[in-house]
Amino acid sequence: MQNMFGDGTDTTQSVMEWAMSELLKKPITLQKLQAEVREVTQGKPEITQDDLEKMRYLKAVIKETLRCHVPVPLLVPRESTRDIKIMGCDIAAGTLVLVNASAIARDPMLWENPEEFQPERFLNSNIDFRGLNFELIPFGSGRRVCPGINFAMSVNELALAKLVNKFNFALPDGIKPEDLDMTEASGITVHRAHPLQAIATPYLC
């Protein structure tokens, strides 16, 4: 249980920080997200699950964050159970296989402008992150897919919606959005090399 909560907390926090970083780097995207969330909530004190289901752009922002910043770039190792040939490569039984989900999510053969943060790419797309679309597998796929998908998405959607609904955000010390440092730290999970700093001011509807 401790492993489940620990792993879930670390990756969820990472996704949230990267989402806010990308939104602060692209103020127009942040404004579009705030407009959607505030239109749906209409000043209500709390955001419900029914509200979240109406927030298409919010879901697109989180999908794009998961694509640009896969929380665990190298998925949990697998071992092949039999000899197999994949895309011309012979993989013997017993081979330890590491899937680079981050490289797949930024592959220019699969994605247009893969280095750009563009939530709009998911608005008219059926690609999802639950393991059925191999272009986007931040939670893995198959029988060993991450069991915490629903938990992670519920927390991320609700937390991000509440943040952009209740606050306006700006970068400190006159930092321009285009100058925001997006360097990633090395590790099993992907975090910012330097913690995000932002100025939050209450939004008075």
Side-chain angles (χ1 to χ4, degrees):
M1 289 298 291
Q2 286 181 333
N3 286 342
M4 290 180 66
F5 279 109
D7 293 344
T9 301
D10 181 52
T11 52
T12 300
Q13 178 270 329
S14 173
V15 171
M16 186 60 53
E17 188 172 30
W18 281 117
M20 287 304 305
S21 298
E22 292 287 3
L23 291 171
L24 284 165
K25 193 170 181 66
K26 299 190 75 171
I28 294 178
T29 303
L30 174 57
Q31 291 168 11
K32 288 177 67 174
L33 177 59
Q34 287 177 316
E36 177 188 72
V37 173
R38 290 168 182 173
E39 180 180 355
V40 171
T41 57
Q42 294 291 318
K44 294 191 301 184
E46 295 296 333
I47 297 176
T48 66
Q49 187 63 40
D50 288 339
D51 293 330
L52 292 175
E53 291 303 318
K54 300 173 185 175
M55 299 178 186
R56 294 180 61 246
Y57 198 67
L58 171 72
K59 295 180 185 298
V61 166
I62 292 179
K63 280 186 181 180
E64 182 70 341
T65 301
L66 289 169
R67 186 193 69 80
C68 291
H69 307 281
V70 179
V72 183
L74 297 178
L75 301 180
V76 177
R78 307 293 181 90
E79 184 176 311
S80 59
T81 58
R82 57 187 173 86
D83 295 344
I84 191 172
K85 183 185 289 287
I86 298 178
M87 298 180 70
C89 299
D90 292 313
I91 300 177
T95 300
L96 189 67
V97 179
L98 293 172
V99 177
N100 191 335
S102 181
I104 295 171
R106 292 173 178 253
D107 188 340
M109 295 182 65
L110 301 174
W111 303 95
E112 184 177 351
N113 300 321
E115 299 300 323
E116 289 290 321
F117 184 79
Q118 298 176 351
E120 288 77 10
R121 75 174 81 235
F122 287 107
L123 290 179
N124 296 306
S125 170
N126 293 323
I127 294 177
D128 201 11
F129 45 73
R130 299 181 185 276
L132 299 178
N133 303 108
F134 297 123
E135 305 97 314
L136 186 66
I137 49 172
F139 297 102
S141 181
R143 289 178 296 175
R144 302 291 183 179
V145 70
C146 175
I149 294 179
N150 291 333
F151 168 78
M153 296 312 298
S154 295
V155 171
N156 280 324
E157 288 179 3
L158 184 59
L160 186 57
K162 285 191 171 188
L163 281 174
V164 300
N165 186 40
K166 295 293 185 180
F167 297 95
N168 289 322
F169 292 90
L171 292 169
D173 304 322
I175 298 175
K176 296 180 180 178
E178 59 269 23
D179 295 332
L180 180 61
D181 184 2
M182 300 291 279
T183 305
E184 295 181 350
S186 59
I188 296 176
T189 57
V190 173
H191 290 273
R192 289 177 52 87
H194 307 287
L196 177 65
Q197 294 185 352
I199 299 173
T201 54
Y203 169 68
L204 305 176
C205 56

